[in-house]
């Protein structure tokens, strides 16, 4: 466990990146956000704070506190999964709005929101697997700790992706001609997340750890979902499958 003692300091950097990414999207229109969005934001923020607090307890030798707060972590993880799943319908609502009122959506096309929805499904599934494995490996402190740490890289895409997309739109305009706004910022986002995951894994000697593999594959897998999202048949399937 000695290798992971400074992990909590590194987790502060990941949380800072997450908050910078989502700042404009969340705080920029704070009053117009729905109650569900507020709850989801603060749940995610609490999770990243939890990923700082827990390894810090271990680094300070406060194992009893670590175990006690770990039980609260299960509540946060469950809420993260339920809130993420419960908001998938919003992407379909947005896709339908783009289809019916394209003049209001600048460069965006309906398939983009199906791409985001499918990506969020992939990432929240990977998150559930990582948390589950952290529970299974709880008697192996290093494995347990790294499975938990990997969730920071699995969950960061929506926040960082939105931030990079907002910057791209500010630079090139919210206009139909700026089609690159739909995918280029997200390609860059995923490249950054994967690089960050590998950097952290290298720093803590976990490059070959299955948690690292899961985080990298989940983030890279998002790119492969784009053609699926562009399929009209798949779009209609999701419209029929998810109540909206």
């Amino acid at each position: 466990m000695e290798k992971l003692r400074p992990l909590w300091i590194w987790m502060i950097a990941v949380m800072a990146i997450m908050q910078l990414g989502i700042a404009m999207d969340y705080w920029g229109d704070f009053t117009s956000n729905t109650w569900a969005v507020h709850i989801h934001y603060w749940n995610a923020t609490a999770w990243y704070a939890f990923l700082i607090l827990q390894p810090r307890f271990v680094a300070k030798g406060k194992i009893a506190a670590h175990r006690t707060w770990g039980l609260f972590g299960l509540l946060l993880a469950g809420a993260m999964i339920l809130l993420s799943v419960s908001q998938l319908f919003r992407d379909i609502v947005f896709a339908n709005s783009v289809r019916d009122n394209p003049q209001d959506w600048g460069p965006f096309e309906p398939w983009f929101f199906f791409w985001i929805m499918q990506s969020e499904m992939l990432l929240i599934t990977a998150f559930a697997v990582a948390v589950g494995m952290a529970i299974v490996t709880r008697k192996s402190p290093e494995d347990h700790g790294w499975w938990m740490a990997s969730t920071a890289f699995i969950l960061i895409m929506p926040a960082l992706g939105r931030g990079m997309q907002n910057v791209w739109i500010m630079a090139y305009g919210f206009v139909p001609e700026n089609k690159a706004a739909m995918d280029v910022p997200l390609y860059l986002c995923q490249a950054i997340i994967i690089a960050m995951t590998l950097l952290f894994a290298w720093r803590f000697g976990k490059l070959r750890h299955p948690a690292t593999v899961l985080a990298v594959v989940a983030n890279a897998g998002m790119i492969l979902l784009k053609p699926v999202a562009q399929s009209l048949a798949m779009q209609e399937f999701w419209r029929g499958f998810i109540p909206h």
Side-chain angles (χ1 to χ4, degrees):
M1 194 60 187
E2 285 297 321
K3 288 183 180 179
L4 298 185
R5 283 191 178 278
L7 179 61
W8 68 275
I9 300 173
W10 288 62
M11 286 290 107
I12 293 174
V14 183
M15 183 174 180
I17 292 170
M18 185 275 282
Q19 291 292 340
L20 284 173
I22 199 63
M24 186 185 302
D25 196 70
Y26 179 72
W27 295 104
D29 58 352
F30 180 84
T31 57
S32 63
N33 287 326
T34 65
W35 180 246
V37 170
H38 289 302
I39 295 297
H40 187 60
Y41 169 82
W42 288 107
N43 192 161
T45 297
W47 181 259
Y48 276 84
F50 176 74
L51 294 180
I52 297 169
L53 181 68
Q54 285 294 81
R56 189 175 190 280
F57 278 143
V58 174
K60 299 298 181 180
K62 299 179 179 180
I63 305 303
H66 175 85
R67 290 172 178 167
T68 299
W69 280 96
L71 297 176
F72 288 105
L74 292 176
L75 295 176
L76 286 176
M80 182 68 66
I81 294 169
L82 290 175
L83 287 169
S84 297
V85 171
S86 69
Q87 293 194 74
L88 292 175
F89 78 95
R90 295 173 68 244
D91 293 309
I92 298 180
V93 171
F94 292 150
N96 290 346
S97 180
V98 177
R99 178 194 61 192
D100 300 335
N101 306 283
Q103 70 281 357
D104 298 332
W105 287 87
F108 291 98
E109 297 178 10
W111 65 261
F112 170 79
F113 294 98
F114 286 100
W115 186 28
I116 295 301
M117 184 185 74
Q118 292 174 163
S119 299
E120 290 174 342
M121 288 178 177
L122 172 64
L123 293 171
I124 202 63
T125 300
F127 171 78
V129 170
V131 172
M133 288 303 301
I135 295 171
V136 170
T137 60
R138 64 190 181 279
K139 293 185 179 180
S140 172
E142 283 209 13
D143 288 322
H144 168 78
W146 193 247
W147 276 112
M148 290 297 291
S150 71
T151 65
F153 309 109
I154 292 170
L155 290 180
I156 200 171
M157 184 284 290
L160 184 58
R162 288 177 186 176
M164 295 187 69
Q165 201 165 48
N166 284 333
V167 171
W168 186 278
I169 289 172
M170 288 174 63
Y172 298 102
F174 190 71
V175 294
E177 294 77 19
N178 185 19
K179 295 299 182 186
M182 287 188 288
D183 52 15
V184 174
L186 297 188
Y187 291 153
L188 295 173
C189 171
Q190 296 314 95
I192 290 172
I193 294 173
I194 291 171
M196 187 164 55
T197 303
L198 294 175
L199 173 63
F200 275 58
W202 171 79
R203 166 60 180 80
F204 292 101
K206 301 297 182 184
L207 276 173
R208 297 184 179 181
H209 196 281
T212 304
V213 175
L214 177 65
V216 170
V217 169
N219 279 288
M222 175 185 171
I223 306 304
L224 301 178
L225 289 174
K226 178 182 172 182
V228 180
Q230 291 175 317
S231 165
L232 294 179
M234 185 58 68
Q235 291 175 24
E236 290 308 309
F237 167 78
W238 288 121
R239 285 188 173 101
F241 185 73
I242 298 179
H244 55 280

